[in-house]
Amino acid sequence: MSYALLSVSNKEGIIDFAKSLVELGYDIISTGGTFKALQEAGIKVTPVSDVTQFEEIMNGRVKTLHPKIHGGILADRHNDEHVQAMDKHHITPIDIVAVNLYPFEETVAKEGVTEMDAIENIDIGGPTMLRSAAKNFKHVLTIVDPSDYDEAIERLKSGDDMDAYRKEKMIKVFNHTYHYDQAIVEFFSGAKASLRYGENPHQQAHLVRTNATPNTILGAVQHHGKPLSYNNIKDADAALNLVKQFDRAAAVAVKHMNPCGVGVGDSIEEAYDRAYAADSMSIFGGIVALNRPVTKALAEKLHEIFLEVIIAPSFDDEAIEILSQKKNIRLLEVKMDVDEDATEFVSVSGGYLTQDVDQAFARREDMQVVTDKQPTKAQWEAALLGLKVVKSVKSNAILLSSPTHTVGIGAGQMNRVGALKIAIERATELNENIALASDGFFPMRDTVDLAAEHGIQCIIQPGGSIKDQQSIDACNEHGIAMITTGMRHFKH
Ligand SMILES: NC(=O)c1ncn([C@@H]2O[C@H](COP(=O)(O)O)[C@@H](O)[C@H]2O)c1NC=O
């Protein structure tokens, strides 16, 4: 006789599945609720308690956790010792296990869920059976997903390559129990939280903390304001990663993941003034990150405009008092040390991509002046500032900067000349001290020609195009100094 054990929380499709199994000659064993559903549908079914000779106890906390069940699932049918143990203890082999688990994730996603609700929805017997059966995939077929019932019946009927099929389902099971356990960890450790919504109000969203150290947005101390929104978290992260790159006092304003104004200075107030002046329109409703403590004087300036989030290594008490006059503004205290080994993840349909965070910066000795004209000291400073910022701008990116602040930013264009056109249009000043920084090389000389038309006299770019010489020739014709870095900084 062949046995199939069915114990499912989600009863969808279980009756048809059981009927088909019976037609294929299986005897069905089931737990309380599943047993009842099958019996009511007129299916011949044996209660687990008949097999274990032990009633279900403690509101179902213990029902299948019994050697008669686990011996039947785990026995290696080719192992004499296992076969003898089955004989000795009157254990019947179980060849199919169809189990799905208490809905832990759905339960904890409900508003007002109590800890007790969550605890009661941690399935113990189910994952234990799934893991036993999956371990013994050489003999046992395990089905954890009701959408696999029809396919399973077809495969059992045809008998086609059952070894491969059982293995495929075993992998699915361990993946499932892994995620099930992860959801439990996330809930009880507070690592997972619901957000009000995602990028737009009709999108549901959660955040999951995996390594929320005090130098991250998710590990920040929030001194004031509403909870961070999905978009706030992403923008704040972009702003923090950029401001951390500076040793000098620096202020970074970010809108929609792109910097809109960046300034450095001898004091944080001076740096902020420059970042603000770089684009006093776009900063409105933005995120500001600072790499020095927020003083009273700085707080007074920040208080003048509407900002969503302010990030800084600390806030003076008086600064908090001033900024807290606005109910919603979020004040985040974050440590400024850089995590050298940081990794980033991007989800794509079918999986996700990971990569090292782009924290590299070309060494000065690897940079080359490739033109007749040498940059002036001020142009060098402007170029190096631009280079630092341009890698935080969505590609294709062109950035115009002075030695102390950004001047015009062209972000996320499908061609490089288009990015320069925007940077020029937005430029607050254009003079001999402004440098143009590009995140990628110039495929043609057109960007250089356009820069020359607007009086730009210094360019920094990775180099490496087969047509580099054309751009260099263009620079020489226009009297522009060009530095190549050998390092590209795309940001998609
Ligand atoms: N405790 C046990 O021995 C046990 N055995 C199976 N379960 C779960 O009980 C559920 C099915 O219960 P029922 O058939 O009574 O509706 C399944 O989700 C199954 O994973 C158990 N419950 C939880 O741990």
Side-chain angles (χ1 to χ4, degrees), residues 145-418:
D145 181 352
S147 71
D148 288 337
Y149 293 157
D150 290 347
E151 180 197 52
I153 295 298
E154 290 311 312
R155 292 298 282 258
L156 288 164
K157 275 184 188 157
S158 69
D160 271 356
D161 207 358
M162 284 306 286
D163 289 344
Y165 186 60
R166 286 193 305 267
K167 189 171 179 186
E168 182 189 317
K169 295 298 136 187
M170 162 269 214
I171 294 166
K172 189 163 182 174
V173 163
F174 280 112
N175 195 22
H176 188 85
T177 55
Y178 165 72
H179 283 107
Y180 193 84
D181 282 350
Q182 209 177 25
I184 297 168
V185 173
E186 282 166 5
F187 176 77
F188 285 97
S189 63
K192 185 167 177 176
S194 294
L195 296 172
R196 261 186 77 210
Y197 53 75
E199 208 155 358
N200 299 294
H202 58 272
Q203 290 171 277
Q204 274 191 17
H206 295 95
L207 76 82
V208 179
R209 291 185 174 83
T210 53
N211 192 21
T213 45
N215 59 344
T216 62
I217 292 299
L218 296 186
V221 177
Q222 184 166 349
H223 287 289
H224 177 77
K226 289 200 295 193
L228 291 167
S229 72
Y230 181 97
N231 292 330
N232 287 160
I233 293 169
K234 290 187 73 180
D235 288 341
D237 192 50
L240 175 65
N241 289 337
L242 176 51
V243 84
K244 275 183 183 182
Q245 303 206 13
F246 293 93
D247 296 325
R248 283 187 81 183
V252 167
V254 163
K255 276 291 276 296
H256 294 217
M257 300 285 286
N258 279 309
C260 57
V262 177
V264 294
D266 294 332
S267 69
I268 194 66
E269 291 82 5
E270 188 178 38
Y272 172 73
D273 285 345
R274 289 172 171 160
Y276 176 79
D279 186 346
S280 56
M281 184 159 110
S282 302
I283 195 171
F284 189 83
I287 311 274
V288 169
L290 307 140
N291 65 355
R292 297 284 190 278
V294 179
T295 56
K296 180 178 179 233
L298 179 57
E300 277 163 357
K301 290 171 190 279
L302 291 162
H303 185 59
E304 281 172 22
I305 57 166
F306 166 55
L307 293 172
E308 287 267 330
V309 183
I310 299 173
I311 303 154
S314 67
F315 293 80
D316 292 355
D317 290 345
E318 289 160 309
I320 293 186
E321 213 172 288
I322 294 165
L323 293 166
S324 300
Q325 289 169 32
K326 290 200 178 117
K327 203 169 103 229
N328 295 335
I329 191 166
R330 293 105 173 150
L331 306 180
L332 299 184
E333 181 182 318
V334 186
K335 290 207 169 18
M336 290 291 145
D337 43 309
V338 174
D339 177 2
E340 305 288 350
D341 304 318
T343 304
E344 61 191 16
F345 300 80
V346 177
S347 80
V348 288
S349 51
Y352 58 87
L353 306 169
T354 86
Q355 64 171 353
D356 301 339
V357 173
D358 181 10
Q359 299 186 125
F361 198 73
R363 292 180 312 172
R364 191 64 186 261
E365 58 263 39
D366 294 333
M367 297 184 190
Q368 274 185 0
V369 178
V370 290
T371 45
D372 301 338
K373 193 87 180 273
Q374 292 289 317
T376 62
K377 186 171 170 285
Q379 285 171 351
W380 260 113
E381 284 172 19
L384 295 178
L385 175 76
L387 190 64
K388 235 174 218 181
V389 182
V390 79
K391 69 179 185 173
S392 296
V393 182
K394 204 168 161 62
S395 297
N396 289 326
I398 294 282
L399 196 132
L400 301 174
S401 60
S402 82
T404 54
H405 54 274
T406 56
V407 161
I409 302 175
Q413 295 307 298
M414 282 65 79
N415 66 69
R416 207 154 286 285
V417 191

Side-chain angles (χ1 to χ4, degrees), residues 7 9 11 31 33-34 60-61 63-65 100 102 123-126:
S7 176
S9 181
K11 310 243 171 346
T31 45
T34 314
R61 279 196 179 192
K63 44 191 176 186
T64 55
L65 297 161
N100 60 59
Y102 292 168
D123 200 323
I124 298 298

Side-chain angles (χ1 to χ4, degrees), residues 4 25 52 73 97 142 218 228 313 322 348 384 417 458 461 463 473 476:
T52 58
I73 298 173
V97 169
T142 322
L218 296 186
L228 291 167
I322 294 165
V348 288
L384 295 178
V417 191
C458 178
Q461 58 118 345
D473 292 345
N476 287 332

